[in-house]
Amino acid sequence: MPVTTDNASSGRRRAIVLALAGTPLAALGCALALGACGGTSSADIPPVERDAKVASANPVAVSPEPGTPDASPATQISFLGGPGTRVGSVTVKGSRSGSHSGVLRAYSTGTGESFIVSHPFQQGEHVTVHAQVVAGPDQGTVTTSFTIAHQYSPSQKQFPNNPGSSKDIQHYSSAPSLTPSTVRIYTHAKPGAASGDLFMAPYQGKGTPGPMITDQAGNLIWFHPLPSDEAATNFQVQQYEGQPVLTWWQGRILEVGFGQGEDVIYDDAYRQIARVRAGNGYHADLHEIRLTPEGTAWIDEFDPIRMNLAPLHGSSQGVLTDSVVQEIDVKTGLVMWEWHALGHVAVGESRHEVPKSVSPWDYVHVNSVDPGSHGDLLLSARSTWAMYDVDLHSGAIRWRLGGTHSSFHGSTGTRTYWQHDAEWQPGGLISVFDNGSTPPKEKQSRGLLLEPDTSTHTVVLRKQFTNPSRTLLATSQGNLLSLPGGNWLMGYGGLPDFTEYDSSGHVLLDGTLGKNVQDFRTYLAPWTGHPGGSPSVAVVHSGSGLSVSASWNGATEVASWRVLAGASPSSLTPVADAAAAGFQTTIAAATGGPYVQVQALDSSGAVLGTSAAVKA
């Protein structure tokens, strides 16, 4: 039978293992994770499992997982189960640091607790945990053990800015602080194109970095400028507490190949309502922020650790960058679940060359995380050319799609190279952006819809999208987004083009950002924004009258503008009206003012907001 799963996370809550009611957790977890718990040092290359036979679920999962070879010295111990899961006495002992006291803190979801130790663990030591857990009708002892990593502090040097063109910057006299990249549309939206606005986060090039909303004609709707040494990625519309919100990652992109920052959540008034920070001493990476209906967030982190890479013809004092995935309770910031690639993905699966020098080896590079509805998690790993279906009960890999140890025999066109953004689609299908580059393996980057079948161990290519009129080969980044009506939006990341296709592959919309600009992913969705504050206005003399420019950053319901003028701020009367035209509307007013004010009107003529009065 084909794989059957979808994007709903609520369906998989919360039958998550590990052992209760007298079953030793360590025996089960170590067999699934590493083959053995004892004696593994983070300075050595650990063994890993191949495609695992997943044990039947018991109520509680513990993180770090049994056998984790490189847990953080600052890790908390997480116990995740079903509603009402409670943790009693907890005993934690490090092989070097000894016994650890701590406090229990409950998840806002009511599905477990984290034990926060009073002092950090020591690098390289082995940690054992015993806890009494009650999960519904089940109760018993949970036991786990893991090893603490030998940490490495990477260079904080950022990617140098790739200068673009000063012609590719937007400028507005009414909003001079907003200078994002231009948006150039090659193919304007055709009949059948999905409705909504474009969500991008340009960085690099000449413009200011930051999250940006435009309409499908490329007209700016909202822009949030960031400092020049920061960037944003993954800017999109999601749901939080039943309401539409804006989410994105924000931070610094390091030259070693990953980000260090945090994820933010804004409401429809463009106010920050939450921040999602990585737990256990890590920094949130730029690749993923995915909210769930339960009020949790899936994020990823990159963790450089010291490791002997001499067996792989690298340095005996080498550094390996592990990929870490966490589920974070947004309200409390607690880590509910954590997974380390190094415990499950063999270093031999990497297609990334091992460095000879002491510089981080990005051996796996997880770049997307998508929870399924059958107790699993779909991951994409750029450096192994593979996608992984991870069992949430044990952390074990159910199957691999692509790479050197694929669980499936593929038909023509199903292999991916340096791919991004693997996501579940209805009916067990998987969408993915196949970069096909670095070095080039394809002539064009492709959007793929794949159908894996676990009963026959085969995978079939159901759809493929490539731009028919332009050669677009993205060396990095990118995404493939399912849209209503069977359409697909493909973002080309580092190019940074974007193309909407219908279900047959015909181009419905096509565009790009400015020269040398990058945009990790591109999204399209309906959006209604209600900014606080008031509209902005700029006025200059023009002949015998005034030229009035009006804008309101983020306002989506402005249909027209009204200009008021007079001899003083207290004696203003209407002198001109004009339909809204793009982000900034310029209106000729036959008046000498000298004081001017503008009002933003909705489609019924009601006043949405009024600017301050300014003197021409």
Side-chain angles (χ1 to χ4, degrees), residues 297-328:
W298 288 99
I299 65 173
D300 77 294
E301 302 92 31
F302 280 37
D303 179 30
I305 60 173
R306 297 187 181 277
M307 180 170 287
N308 177 13
L309 299 178
L312 302 174
H313 308 291
S315 171
S316 61
Q317 302 297 316
V319 177
L320 178 145
T321 299
D322 194 10
S323 281
V324 180
V325 176
Q326 292 180 338
E327 185 177 19
I328 302 292

Side-chain angles (χ1 to χ4, degrees), residues 14 20 58-60 81-87 110-111 133-140:
R14 254 310 185 237
L20 290 176
N58 280 316
V60 176
T85 296
R86 304 188 310 278
V87 182
T111 55
V133 178
V134 177
D138 299 308
Q139 57 183 322

Side-chain angles (χ1 to χ4, degrees), residues 113-159:
E113 300 179 76
S114 282
F115 183 75
I116 313 299
V117 296
S118 58
H119 59 282
F121 299 106
Q122 294 184 18
Q123 299 185 64
E125 73 172 330
H126 194 66
V127 178
T128 56
V129 178
H130 300 266
Q132 297 298 314
V133 178
V134 177
D138 299 308
Q139 57 183 322
T141 301
V142 169
T143 303
T144 185
S145 59
F146 49 87
T147 301
I148 303 300
H150 294 272
Q151 292 188 307
Y152 173 83
S153 297
S155 167
Q156 295 299 296
K157 184 178 180 182
Q158 298 188 63
F159 269 112

Side-chain angles (χ1 to χ4, degrees), residues 9 90-91 117 140 154 176-177 206 210 256 312 323 345 361 374 382 418 445 448 466 511 556 582 594 597:
S9 62
V90 181
T91 302
V117 296
S177 63
K206 284 287 188 181
V256 291
L312 302 174
S323 281
V345 179
W361 177 42
H374 290 70
R382 168 184 165 90
W418 315 106
S445 295
L448 305 180
T466 58
T556 60
Q597 188 177 60

